[in-house]
Amino acid sequence: MSAASVERPHDERPLIAEANRVMDRLPGYRVEIIGGQILVTPPPDVPHSRALTKLMRPFITAGLDDGETEVHQGIGLWLPTDTEDYAIPDLAIVDADVDDHLVENNSYDPVCFRLVLEVTSRNWKNDLKTKVAAYAEAKVPVYVVVDRKHQRLHVLTDPVGDEYATHRFHSPGQLVTLPDSIGAKVTLDVAEILEAGRAKRTPEQS
């Protein structure tokens, strides 16, 4: 059963109030609270967006945006790691009744999340460490990371405590089939996704 979708007064949520002030000052930035700390991520670059577009296609083609599930970018996930914690994954597959699971601050109960996915940016350590622990504690069944820094795809499953019992790395040239628990058979081409996320060389760099 999800928490009641009642917004608490901001004086009872000082970190959320501060996070909202940061968003007002920095339009387009992603602001999250994890472990009682405010994390601020600059707006994504074009390769980041391009990788997300490539990723959405196989999920939608598999029918995951119809029926029992939906595919979303940038929706809030309420975390159990601290009293005001929430994350905003780049992409998520959620149950179709997600609207019934609003907790607060435009964030939703993790019970309705089947998969979360992040495409790394300059603060890639957050995706490979901080968010691993947060999503595991939230019991999100599948966490996928497009690791542009190290040019590989991570698939983490079987959350236990603050870690995932299974963490597999995949390199360009491999095809990765995601767990059936997401609701459909989806296979990702690692090379295609990483290439989409790679910055294109300008004429000056050639």
Side-chain angles (χ1 to χ4, degrees):
M1 186 173 180
S2 64
S5 57
V6 176
E7 296 279 350
R8 291 193 172 101
H10 278 173
D11 58 359
E12 294 182 19
R13 294 298 204 200
L15 275 178
I16 287 177
E18 178 58 27
N20 290 338
R21 284 192 288 270
V22 172
M23 284 191 290
D24 289 340
R25 292 196 301 267
L26 300 172
Y29 280 64
R30 179 171 55 175
V31 182
E32 303 162 291
I33 303 173
I34 301 179
Q37 300 292 317
I38 295 176
L39 304 180
V40 181
T41 304
D45 57 16
V46 167
H48 183 285
S49 178
R50 188 178 289 126
L52 275 179
T53 299
K54 286 283 186 188
L55 281 158
M56 288 194 73
R57 290 173 184 164
F59 293 128
I60 292 172
T61 300
L64 288 170
D65 200 40
D66 298 294
E68 296 182 357
T69 57
E70 297 176 353
V71 181
H72 290 282
Q73 290 190 29
I75 61 170
L77 188 162
W78 192 254
L79 295 169
T81 46
D82 211 330
T83 57
E84 299 181 70
D85 281 8
Y86 67 92
I88 306 174
D90 287 321
L91 187 145
I93 297 172
V94 298
D95 294 339
D97 66 350
V98 62
D99 299 87
D100 298 332
H101 295 278
L102 178 64
V103 180
E104 62 179 285
N105 200 46
N106 293 329
S107 297
Y108 297 82
D109 193 321
V111 71
C112 64
F113 285 74
R114 299 191 183 195
L115 172 147
V116 294
L117 183 147
E118 301 282 5
V119 177
T120 61
S121 298
R122 283 179 295 175
N123 54 353
W124 53 271
K125 291 181 181 178
N126 287 336
D127 295 328
L128 295 177
K129 185 175 180 181
T130 306
K131 288 191 173 182
V132 170
Y135 291 145
E137 287 200 44
K139 298 293 184 285
V140 177
V142 182
Y143 177 30
V144 176
V145 185
V146 179
D147 184 356
R148 296 196 292 166
K149 172 71 174 179
H150 303 101
Q151 288 295 291
R152 56 191 180 186
L153 187 82
H154 303 248
V155 179
L156 298 88
T157 57
D158 308 311
V160 179
D162 63 352
E163 61 185 9
Y164 283 89
T166 305
H167 184 167
R168 293 190 170 92
F169 307 87
H170 303 278
S171 301
Q174 292 183 287
L175 298 177
V176 180
T177 300
L178 299 177
D180 292 341
S181 62
I182 66 174
K185 181 179 177 63
V186 174
T187 299
L188 303 178
D189 184 325
V190 178
E192 180 183 42
I193 293 165
L194 289 172
E195 180 59 32
R198 197 192 309 271
K200 295 187 181 299
R201 297 175 66 87
T202 65
E204 292 78 13
Q205 294 172 316
S206 300

